[in-house]
Amino acid sequence: MGIDQGKVIVTGGAGFIGSHTVVELALAGYTPVIIDDFSNAERSVLDGLASILGREVPCHAVDCNDGERLNELFAAEGPIRGVIHFAAFKSVGESVHSPLKYYRNNVGSLTTLLEVMKAHDVWDLVFSSSCTVYGQPDTLPVTEDTPMKEAESPYGRTKQICEELIGDVVKAEHPVRAAVLRYFNPIGAHPSSEIGELPIGTPDNLIPFITQTAAGIRDELIVFGDSYATADGSCIRDYIHVVDLAKAHVKALDWLARKEKRPAQEIFNIGTGSGASVLEVIEAFERASQQRLAYRIGPRREGDIEQIYANADKAEQVLNWKADCGLEEAMRDAWNWQVALDRKSKPVD
Ligand code: UD1
């Protein structure tokens, strides 16, 4: 066993990115403690984590808007080395129809969490932000200094507001040191196939839709438009393996601990640095899984950005983090996870 790096509260730790981060934290010698209200996660994730790590991960079923419960929990769990705040809603489409749900959950929970951190003298925060804060940028790749455009959705706006909220708290000399990670498009699954993406209902995101279509759960994938100003006409994103993304959180916590104890905020793009089109993703999936995918070209999706990918040099220089996995590897892990899920859901004779 290595040196104990201390206890880390992981809100939303039963979610897709959260659960993979819990694994990487534990492997790096931290003691993760999950807080998740299971509004958009399955309890079976905890079994997957226990299989990978060979031990149970402590978990509290608490809503991060519940300040009283959070206070009790911080008191009971202390001393706490830091907090990684994933817990948030993330459906762009739903946020357009239910903006208050997004403001309450995404902005409300961060406010409550920062109050509780202050009360318990917990300084280090890693915050889940998104490349959605850039809107459709004028120049690519985007750096952390690329100006934010007006958000395309209430979801995107909550992420912009949360970043500004943290900035205001830091300026007021409240005790917080924050690393804000702007994720590009997380995909893939843990190579053990014990944890992965578990969308409830019809997936909004591309990769679970692809794997569910190949598994026969969906009839076909609709490619949302092929008349964009890109080489093949489909949209371009920066797809990053979720394990690479998870490792960035560990690097961010390590880095925060090395900093002087005074309020500060730094923003990092967490992407691979290269873009892939929807049609290229489909090709990578077919190669990695040896499956043919049923798809057709459909109309554009409202609010979609034509193309975005990261300049992630700052994360490499400051955090010493860089994405390792390629697209095909991520598609292989996503497919293996889908196959494992199907196997679990079928009754054994
Ligand atoms: C968006 C946000 C991201 C956010 C995520 C949460 C941007 C740039 N990105 O990701 O920050 O965290 O939502 O859900 O705002 N596609 C299809 N057919 C499908 C599904 C998707 O062609 O059935 C295409 C989309 O048009 C897009 C790509 O696949 O080009 C990826 O889509 P998706 O997985 O939904 O993620 P984003 O919309 O990029």
Side-chain angles (χ1 to χ4, degrees):
M1 287 288 282
I3 305 161
D4 180 7
Q5 303 287 336
K7 204 173 263 186
V8 179
I9 299 287
V10 186
T11 76
F16 176 43
I17 311 169
S19 57
H20 289 79
T21 301
V22 164
V23 171
E24 296 308 319
L25 286 169
L27 294 178
Y30 288 96
T31 303
V33 175
I34 296 173
I35 298 182
D36 203 301
D37 68 357
F38 292 94
S39 59
N40 195 23
E42 303 274 357
R43 284 178 191 270
S44 59
V45 170
L46 300 176
D47 300 331
L49 289 173
S51 303
I52 297 170
L53 296 172
R55 63 171 189 273
E56 305 273 320
V57 177
C59 175
H60 301 273
V62 171
D63 175 351
C64 290
N65 276 293
D66 186 342
E68 211 170 304
R69 292 286 309 279
L70 275 191
N71 259 315
E72 285 167 14
L73 210 148
F74 271 60
E77 289 285 355
I80 292 163
R81 161 81 181 267
V83 177
I84 307 184
H85 184 44
F86 292 104
F89 293 141
K90 61 148 196 132
S91 166
V92 173
E94 185 190 39
S95 77
V96 175
H97 301 292
S98 307
L100 289 174
K101 179 175 170 183
Y102 276 69
Y103 285 101
R104 160 64 58 213
N105 196 42
N106 294 7
V107 182
S109 69
L110 175 65
T111 313
T112 306
L113 185 66
L114 284 167
E115 285 167 352
V116 174
M117 285 174 67
K118 186 180 174 197
H120 293 267
D121 202 26
V122 178
W123 280 68
D124 291 354
L125 173 71
V126 180
F127 177 70
S128 298
S129 191
S130 164
C131 69
T132 196
V133 299
Y134 294 113
Q136 174 61 69
D138 295 329
T139 51
L140 289 167
V142 285
T143 71
E144 292 78 1
D145 298 325
T146 299
M148 285 191 198
K149 290 284 189 63
E150 195 182 334
E152 299 278 333
S153 67
Y155 159 73
R157 197 141 29 243
T158 64
K159 290 295 175 187
Q160 291 179 336
I161 291 170
C162 285
E163 287 194 1
E164 283 168 15
L165 195 161
I166 294 169
D168 285 342
V169 169
V170 164
K171 274 183 232 140
E173 297 287 310
H174 281 284
V176 61
R177 292 183 294 208
V180 170
L181 306 187
R182 289 180 178 160
Y183 311 151
F184 284 69
N185 286 55
I187 61 165
H190 196 265
S192 65
S193 299
E194 293 285 353
I195 54 171
E197 202 164 358
L198 264 181
I200 293 173
T202 309
D204 284 328
N205 295 113
L206 178 62
I207 278 58
F209 209 105
I210 288 179
T211 58
Q212 290 192 7
T213 304
I217 301 166
R218 315 269 156 215
D219 291 338
E220 60 179 0
L221 170 81
I222 310 292
V223 174
F224 295 144
D226 70 345
S227 59
Y228 286 99
T230 60
D232 64 23
S234 63
C235 290
I236 290 177
R237 298 285 183 274
D238 185 336
Y239 295 95
I240 172 168
H241 196 299
V242 65
V243 173
D244 276 335
L245 177 54
K247 288 177 178 164
H249 295 77
V250 178
K251 294 281 191 177
L253 266 184
D254 293 345
W255 172 75
L256 283 172
R258 288 198 299 272
K259 282 183 76 73
E260 245 178 88
K261 203 162 183 181
R262 62 185 161 81
Q265 180 195 28
E266 283 293 339
I267 294 173
F268 300 96
N269 281 343
I270 306 294
T272 66
S274 53
S277 72
V278 178
L279 295 173
E280 284 169 341
V281 170
I282 294 172
E283 275 169 33
F285 172 77
E286 291 187 329
R287 275 197 305 274
S289 67
Q290 297 293 304
Q291 305 288 312
R292 284 303 291 270
L293 187 77
Y295 71 89
R296 70 182 163 84
I297 309 295
R300 291 181 176 197
R301 177 171 69 177
E302 206 186 321
D304 253 342
I305 280 161
E306 179 176 277
Q307 47 181 324
I308 186 161
Y309 49 96
N311 174 323
D313 291 352
K314 183 175 173 189
E316 185 171 359
Q317 285 153 12
V318 179
L319 302 180
N320 190 26
W321 171 90
K322 191 167 164 293
D324 280 333
C325 299
L327 185 56
E328 242 176 90
E329 199 175 341
M331 298 311 276
R332 180 203 65 199
D333 290 338
W335 176 239
N336 287 342
W337 163 243
Q338 181 69 52
V339 172
L341 265 184
D342 287 355
R343 214 174 279 139
K344 273 185 217 155
S345 66
K346 297 223 169 77
V348 183
D349 298 325

